[in-house]
Amino acid sequence: MTQGLTDNPGASVTVELDLASPISSYTIVPADETPVGTPDFVVIPGASEERIFFHTQVCQDFGGRDLVALLVSKALTDSIRETRAALGEA
């Protein structure tokens, strides 16, 4: 799953989800560059498959661009949506 977004100065960035076992992550990539940040998480099996985010990191060279806010917002929005879907909520 990939979603294009815009950072604080208006540059295009992409947030990608990498589901893996045991540690999954989201990755933020500025246009035409290498990944510069990730929040890592594990999925706790069960009815709602809870996600526990335990580490978020963004390269210091990209400070001031609100990349952490974009990453956390996207990760939490996805987590809430997937939990609701697993519970059969709209």
Side-chain angles (χ1 to χ4, degrees), residues 8-9 23 29-30 38-40 48 51 54-55 57 62 66-67 72 80 82 90:
N8 191 22
I23 299 172
V29 183
T38 60
D40 299 323
S48 63
R51 291 180 177 179
F54 63 90
H55 180 76
Q57 178 177 335
F62 291 84
D66 290 336
L67 298 180
V72 171
I80 291 166
E82 290 178 21

Side-chain angles (χ1 to χ4, degrees), residues 71-84:
L71 276 170
V72 171
S73 176
K74 176 65 176 145
L76 292 177
T77 299
D78 282 359
S79 295
I80 291 166
R81 184 182 64 246
E82 290 178 21
T83 298
R84 286 182 176 165

Side-chain angles (χ1 to χ4, degrees), residues 5 7 10 14-15 19 21 23 45 59 62 74 78 84-85:
L5 300 168
D7 68 4
T14 302
V15 176
L19 290 174
S21 183
I23 299 172
C59 180
F62 291 84
K74 176 65 176 145
D78 282 359
R84 286 182 176 165

